[in-house]
Amino acid sequence: MKVHVPQTANRCCRGMLRRSGLSLGQELLRKSNLTGVCWFHTKAKMSRMVPARRLEGMDKNIWVEFVKLAATYGTVNLGQGFPNYPPPDFAKEAFVEAVGGEDTSLHQYTRAFGHPPLVKILARFFGKLLGQDLDPMTNVLITVGAYEALYCCFQAMVDDGDEVIIIEPFFDCYEPMVKMAGGTPVFIPLRPKAVKSGKLMSSRDWQLDPAELEAKFSQRTKALVLNTPNNPLGKVFSREELELIAELCVKHDVLCFSDEVYEWLVYDGREHIRIASLPGMWERTVTIGSSGKTFSATGWKVGWTIGPDGLLKHLRTVHQNSVYHCATAAQEAVARALERELGHFGAPESYFVQLPRELQRKRDLLIRSLVAVGMEPVVPEGTYFLIADFSAFKTELPELPESEEPCDSQFAKWMIKHKHLAAIPVSAFYSAPQKKNFDHFIRFCFAKEDSTLKAADDILQQWSREKAGQ
Ligand code: IK2
């Protein structure tokens, strides 16, 4: 929505008003008294502790809040997305060798834009997957997890006044990162189709409306963020859906930041399609990956971007002036693990073949537990998350005072404290206007040992019996 900026406001205030959207803009106008006196500057004079304007409204973080809650109440933790089983032996051994082996250079800095063995193997691997001849030095950039990859994309390519299309539900950091870069997020929801009663909904039933999507593109659209398979829904975008997105990106000359961190985690024979492989998309797409998700080692924080040099050179500028470098030993370990995987590509002993098979089994275990107690899961085609409708359990919540806090957030907190089971409220993956429309879902992570899933099942069944008054 366009914000009216009075000529009287000074430059600082005008920029802030443009960036912050209507509601905050109006508030600032009120505080600035339309006199041109910048409220932020007045405040700043009062205290050196006032943070930079770009931090306005960014202080809350769902992971910080829920990780703390889960730890405080000693829960069975199906909240944050990390496996509680170990990475595969070959990856662990590669890390141990990197840290404890003869090559002491692995304890020192390596090439800023990526350890040579890692960028080389990634170029070979993704060259094959994307049908491109990749130069390891210019088409690959190593980052501190996919988080930094996303940050580099937005900081490098999004300018004041640019719009970025984000498909909802979305991984929560996209919105603050776009705003911190000075851009305006433009949201488009995946809309759930009604399913026949008695049938479980699938993440495939959540779809974009093509006309609604097209209407989101404007002269100011700089980029679209795609996340397939999608966190939190588990949706794997089909070829037709990706072709529609690609067609619009090409037509409107828009970039695509494609977050594909769950690329190997697809189920029921579904195929993960890389949008950069579609016609006209390579030159406008940055593909983002994560060894944390790929090798079940989220703590290693090795991520990557793959794309044309014309885009990646700008991401390198952000990287060299912020993070500069990622842990060498971790990069070496990921390089060796990918080397091993390339040698077994598509074979039964490949971790990328075994992991999704194992996770599909875990997904089905959790689905059975939830269905048995009357929570309605949306069956995910990918990722290691599923969302479940907890409406049948809403009555469990005590009468709470009128609150702005979405119902799912209140419910998830209550469940952690009283049932010692952690999940994440799905409203955290929505923009403010949509939160209340999707606040009857919570997200569970099923990348857990069977014993953890069994412990969750015990809690749910016991709770269900209590609820039924048995
Ligand atoms: N992109 C997506 C879609 C992610 O899900 C993540 C990791 N999220 O995990 C937390 C959770 O949802 O519970 C990232 C990017 C960041 O990946 P990395 O850990 O490689 O920085």
Side-chain angles (χ1 to χ4, degrees):
M1 202 174 286
K2 205 166 175 333
V3 176
H4 171 70
V5 181
Q7 288 306 315
T8 46
N10 68 22
R11 259 187 72 222
C12 148
C13 195
R14 287 157 65 81
M16 183 64 207
L17 290 172
R18 259 190 220 105
R19 278 197 296 275
S20 57
L22 192 60
S23 56
L24 183 55
Q26 280 171 339
E27 176 64 3
L28 288 171
L29 284 183
R30 191 178 63 71
K31 290 185 167 159
S32 299
N33 259 345
L34 294 174
T35 61
V37 178
C38 173
W39 179 74
F40 276 95
H41 277 163
T42 314
K43 271 282 219 212
K45 273 188 203 138
M46 281 154 51
S47 166
R48 291 281 165 224
M49 306 307 275
V50 173
R53 290 187 300 277
R54 65 185 161 275
L55 296 196
E56 183 77 18
M58 312 266 166
D59 52 337
K60 291 227 164 57
N61 179 288
I62 187 75
W63 310 115
V64 174
E65 187 179 13
F66 274 76
V67 165
K68 188 171 168 204
L69 273 174
T72 308
Y73 291 93
T75 53
V76 172
N77 192 353
L78 306 190
Q80 200 186 19
F82 64 90
N84 69 349
Y85 45 80
D89 285 346
F90 66 86
K92 273 195 302 185
E93 282 156 18
F95 210 144
V96 171
E97 171 62 20
V99 175
E102 297 285 293
D103 187 353
T104 55
S105 74
L106 296 175
H107 293 282
Q108 309 306 330
Y109 292 131
T110 182
R111 180 175 165 270
F113 305 126
H115 188 47
L118 180 55
V119 289
K120 283 182 192 157
I121 186 69
L122 279 167
R124 278 172 63 206
F125 216 132
F126 279 87
K128 192 170 148 148
L129 297 171
L130 295 171
Q132 293 285 335
D133 188 14
L134 300 185
D135 176 348
M137 301 300 151
T138 59
N139 297 133
V140 183
L141 168 67
I142 305 302
T143 53
V144 178
Y147 256 109
E148 197 226 333
L150 289 159
Y151 183 77
C152 287
C153 287
F154 297 124
Q155 284 295 319
M157 304 311 300
V158 176
D159 221 336
D160 278 1
D162 286 345
E163 292 180 354
V164 178
I165 298 175
I166 299 178
I167 299 166
E168 302 191 82
F170 59 90
F171 181 50
D172 66 302
C173 74
Y174 301 160
E175 181 178 5
M177 281 195 191
V178 168
K179 287 181 175 164
M180 282 199 289
T184 305
V186 173
F187 298 100
I188 165 120
L190 285 160
R191 296 194 182 277
K193 284 192 320 197
V195 291
K196 283 202 192 104
S197 77
K199 202 173 162 271
L200 285 183
M201 189 180 262
S202 158
S203 57
R204 195 187 302 213
D205 296 316
W206 292 54
Q207 292 175 0
L208 291 169
D209 175 329
E212 193 181 7
L213 177 62
E214 169 129 43
K216 299 289 174 182
F217 284 78
S218 80
Q219 290 287 348
R220 287 188 295 183
T221 310
K222 183 67 183 276
L224 175 145
V225 191
L226 173 70
N227 176 213
T228 181
N230 169 278
N231 175 10
L233 186 57
K235 179 181 173 68
V236 176
F237 283 73
S238 69
R239 184 173 291 279
E240 295 69 42
E241 289 170 319
L242 294 175
E243 280 170 353
L244 170 72
I245 293 169
E247 202 181 292
L248 290 170
C249 286
V250 172
K251 181 173 165 192
H252 295 273
D253 192 18
V254 160
L255 301 176
C256 180
F257 303 143
S258 188
D259 181 342
E260 302 183 19
V261 298
Y262 301 103
E263 60 194 318
W264 301 108
L265 308 185
V266 289
Y267 313 124
D268 308 321
R270 297 285 288 153
E271 187 193 1
H272 169 64
I273 295 160
R274 295 172 174 80
I275 198 165
S277 68
L278 299 186
M281 288 307 286
W282 163 254
E283 54 270 36
R284 60 182 67 253
T285 302
V286 178
T287 302
I288 295 168
S290 164
S291 69
K293 306 295 172 177
T294 301
F295 291 114
S296 308
T298 56
W300 293 10
K301 289 299 279 186
V302 175
W304 54 80
T305 62
I306 312 278
D309 185 36
L311 284 174
L312 257 54
K313 68 180 176 191
H314 304 303
L315 274 61
R316 290 196 291 269
T317 304
V318 177
H319 178 77
Q320 78 195 8
N321 292 310
S322 52
V323 167
Y324 178 73
H325 177 276
C326 315
T328 308
Q331 292 193 64
E332 173 74 14
V334 174
R336 290 187 195 186
L338 282 167
E339 191 82 53
R340 188 261 184 203
E341 277 303 296
L342 192 59
H344 291 90
F345 192 74
E349 56 271 44
S350 161
Y351 189 62
F352 297 167
V353 171
Q354 289 172 354
L355 180 63
R357 201 172 292 155
E358 187 55 11
L359 281 168
Q360 182 173 323
R361 187 185 62 77
K362 289 178 186 293
R363 176 198 70 172
D364 294 343
L365 278 179
L366 181 58
I367 287 173
R368 274 198 292 279
S369 298
L370 294 168
V371 169
V373 299
M375 282 204 195
E376 286 179 35
V378 175
V379 179
E381 308 151 272
T383 76
Y384 44 51
F385 304 113
L386 65 77
I387 68 169
D389 185 332
F390 65 88
S391 298
F393 282 71
K394 267 188 186 161
T395 48
E396 295 289 286
L397 264 184
E399 208 47 59
L400 293 168
E402 189 70 14
S403 162
E404 277 297 294
E405 187 177 10
C407 176
D408 58 346
S409 177
Q410 297 185 38
F411 183 78
K413 286 178 186 170
W414 180 87
M415 190 168 84
I416 290 175
K417 287 180 194 162
H418 297 274
K419 299 295 167 188
H420 302 279
L421 177 63
I424 304 293
V426 166
S427 61
F429 303 89
Y430 278 93
S431 61
Q434 289 285 10
K435 281 185 193 296
K436 290 265 177 184
N437 296 332
F438 293 90
D439 71 349
H440 50 294
F441 292 106
I442 47 177
R443 191 201 74 175
F444 294 94
C445 171
F446 52 86
K448 302 293 169 189
E449 295 279 13
D450 283 1
S451 55
T452 308
L453 296 174
K454 167 81 172 61
D457 182 56
D458 289 346
I459 291 173
L460 288 167
Q461 309 308 325
Q462 171 66 20
W463 184 2
S464 171
R465 279 193 294 273
E466 284 164 13
K467 203 162 140 293
Q470 288 172 5

